[in-house]
Amino acid sequence: MDVTNPELALANDFVRYTDNNIYLTGKAGTGKTTFLRQLKESSPKRMIITAPTGVAAINAGGVTLHSFFQMPFGPFISGSDAHQQAQHRKINKEKINIIKSLDLLVIDEISMVRADLLDGVDAVLRRYKHRDRPFGGVQLLMIGDLHQLSPVIKDDEWALLKPYYDTGYFFSSNALKQTDMVSIELKHIYRQSDAHFIDLLNKVRDNCLDERSFQALNTRYIADFKPDDTQNYITLTTHNRRADSINQQRMESLQSKPFVFNAEIEGDYPANIYPAPEELLLKKGAQVMFVRNDSSTDKKYFNGKIGKIIKIDNHAISVKCPGDSASIVVEKLTWENIKYTLDEKTKEISEALIGSFYQYPLRMAWAITIHKSQGLTFEHTIIAANAAFSHGQVYVALSRCKT
């Protein structure tokens, strides 16, 4: 942890030495993910890490809120079918014991968590821990940025929720309103150092662009732009079908021999949380992106690093990245799907492996969706956000860039 960062130090102290619920926020690139990673390594409390989606949960090293708390998909309001199901749904003994022992519940990407889902979590925690205390007396650490991706609420669902909630966002949770939540905003931006660009990002984030800022952004609009293949541009799109179309067209344009690598999947590893393609089609000359950090001491690559395949056969892949003196010989890696278990003697919470996914940590990278780009950093980017359909998408896309 950056000991010179007062907000990070404050967040660390609140987690370690208080039982206050904490909302840790900050602009893109301020160190929220790094804070969580370091907390996981050294937390003095019995904790579990959750997130609203499978991909976010895998990235955070945890499980989804729905799976751990066995929450139904749909509006959760008192008297509703979902509420009745939750009341009668049996949670296995192991999870009950974990809840009873739990000190700290971490929820990453909290901006995507709906208010009714958080109230559903409250109901489960009260049921098995302390009935008369919000969230059963468990401390919450909620991490995210409300200016980024928002919760998904269909019109018919909001019609049901509107009588009970001011908004669909987590902070409208009735249980959370009963607590004294501490908000800590991280201020120092590590991703960007260009003061002018940071100012532009802040104006986009706060929806207060002036004419001068519009003009500055529009200088980066280049009609019919054709990127230099040596610069490894990646296109950020709003929809999967657009990203898939770009990747397919670029891959088909390569005349080199195709190779297909199938993932090895064992145990419980649902398809909706696959961290890399199950069937990975690659060719020499293809632009690829690493989808995981290098855990070795060499640290040759990181999640989001882009390069080009310079050598490939059925048994090996070599990738050359801009600025690197040597190519990277890529090896297959294992992702683990975990569940939390409780040691009955010590009452300590630990992780148990329930499934694994073994594949090269690569994906085609001429284009990806803005949603999948969250948390990543790119050197050269084309942003195709004209079909943006949700709050925060444009800001997320722009803030992936360094300058």
Side-chain angles (χ1 to χ4, degrees):
M1 184 182 299
D2 183 355
V3 295
T4 65
N5 186 317
E7 290 83 21
L8 281 174
L10 182 63
N12 184 59
D13 287 345
F14 263 101
V15 170
R16 291 176 179 272
Y17 306 122
T18 79
D19 58 2
N20 291 90
N21 292 331
I22 304 159
Y23 170 45
L24 181 65
T25 187
K27 301 177 179 71
T30 50
K32 299 184 293 293
T33 301
T34 302
F35 177 83
L36 175 56
R37 188 181 304 122
Q38 293 172 344
L39 177 65
K40 184 179 181 182
E41 294 173 355
S42 62
S43 173
K45 296 182 176 179
R46 290 169 291 201
M47 63 179 276
I48 63 172
I49 298 172
T50 62
T53 68
V55 173
I58 290 293
N59 290 339
V63 297
T64 67
L65 278 169
H66 283 92
S67 65
F68 184 82
F69 291 100
Q70 295 181 210
M71 298 297 300
F73 290 93
F76 186 92
I77 52 179
S78 181
S80 69
D81 290 342
H83 184 264
Q84 294 299 323
Q85 292 171 21
Q87 291 295 316
H88 296 96
R89 180 176 281 107
K90 290 185 178 180
I91 294 182
N92 66 54
K93 184 179 179 181
E94 186 173 42
K95 281 187 179 177
I96 293 172
N97 289 335
I98 290 172
I99 290 171
K100 288 180 176 179
S101 182
L102 188 62
D103 299 317
L104 175 65
L105 171 63
V106 179
I107 307 177
D108 196 22
E109 302 292 3
I110 189 67
S111 69
M112 293 190 284
V113 175
R114 289 173 18 172
D116 59 315
L117 175 56
L118 201 55
D119 280 340
V121 170
D122 167 70
V124 175
L125 290 173
R126 286 183 192 247
R127 182 179 174 187
Y128 295 111
K129 201 164 172 69
H130 298 297
R131 185 171 295 274
D132 59 342
R133 299 175 63 186
F135 303 103
V138 173
Q139 182 183 23
L140 302 188
L141 170 59
M142 298 163 286
I143 303 175
D145 178 10
L146 286 166
H147 291 271
Q148 297 191 39
L149 300 180
S150 55
V152 177
I153 308 176
K154 298 176 183 176
D155 290 343
D156 58 334
E157 293 176 331
W158 181 239
L160 295 173
L161 294 171
K162 191 174 182 179
Y164 303 92
Y165 296 101
D166 300 327
T167 75
Y169 286 91
F170 78 94
F171 54 77
S172 291
S173 155
N174 294 312
L176 192 61
K177 288 179 179 179
Q178 299 172 35
T179 73
D180 293 323
M181 182 181 72
V182 175
S183 296
I184 300 174
E185 182 179 2
L186 302 179
K187 303 288 182 63
H188 181 75
I189 296 175
Y190 295 91
R191 182 175 294 145
Q192 292 97 8
S193 57
D194 181 337
H196 178 58
F197 185 48
I198 290 173
D199 181 61
L200 282 176
L201 286 177
N202 290 341
K203 288 178 178 177
V204 172
R205 182 178 187 267
D206 297 334
N207 193 27
C208 60
L209 279 172
D210 52 31
E211 186 60 31
R212 186 175 180 181
S213 300
F214 269 118
Q215 290 176 359
L217 283 174
N218 285 334
T219 63
R220 304 308 304 148
Y221 172 71
I222 305 171
D224 301 319
F225 176 67
K226 301 294 183 184
D228 183 339
D229 283 347
T230 64
Q231 293 184 307
N232 298 92
Y233 272 86
I234 185 169
T235 299
L236 303 185
T237 71
T238 53
H239 293 77
N240 277 307
R241 61 180 179 272
R242 175 63 175 150
D244 292 343
S245 174
I246 293 171
N247 285 327
Q248 185 175 347
Q249 290 174 13
R250 295 298 299 272
M251 185 66 79
E252 289 176 352
S253 71
L254 297 176
Q255 300 304 308
S256 47
K257 178 183 176 181
F259 292 86
V260 176
F261 304 93
N262 292 304
E264 298 174 34
I265 304 164
E266 295 184 359
D268 183 4
Y269 213 112
N272 66 316
I273 62 171
Y274 286 172
E278 179 181 10
E279 185 178 272
L280 182 61
L281 171 65
L282 298 173
K283 296 179 181 180
K284 182 179 178 180
Q287 181 167 296
V288 292
M289 179 178 73
F290 288 91
V291 294
R292 184 163 152 176
N293 295 328
D294 183 2
S295 59
S296 74
T297 55
D298 296 330
K299 306 297 181 188
K300 292 182 179 178
Y301 57 85
F302 52 84
N303 188 9
K305 186 171 185 175
I306 293 176
K308 189 164 292 184
I309 295 176
I310 60 171
K311 184 178 180 181
I312 184 171
D313 58 33
N314 287 317
H315 308 289
I317 302 172
S318 294
V319 174
K320 184 69 166 60
C321 300
D324 289 358
S325 57
S327 61
I328 300 170
V329 178
V330 187
E331 297 179 351
K332 287 187 175 182
L333 297 176
T334 299
W335 285 263
E336 297 180 344
N337 188 24
I338 65 163
K339 72 172 185 177
Y340 288 102
T341 61
L342 184 74
D343 186 309
E344 292 292 345
K345 292 182 179 179
T346 65
K347 300 301 180 184
E348 291 298 319
I349 297 172
S350 58
E351 299 174 359
L353 177 66
I354 60 172
S356 63
F357 183 97
Y358 184 64
Q359 178 63 290
Y360 286 105
L362 298 170
R363 69 164 63 246
M364 286 188 286
W366 288 285
I368 63 169
T369 63
I370 293 170
H371 192 279
K372 289 187 177 74
S373 76
Q374 192 164 19
L376 305 180
T377 304
F378 302 119
E379 297 288 343
H380 299 96
T381 310
I382 300 169
I383 297 174
N386 56 312
F389 57 88
S390 72
H391 165 82
Q393 274 189 313
V394 174
Y395 172 67
V396 170
L398 289 170
S399 60
R400 300 311 95 197
C401 311
K402 287 185 175 181
T403 60

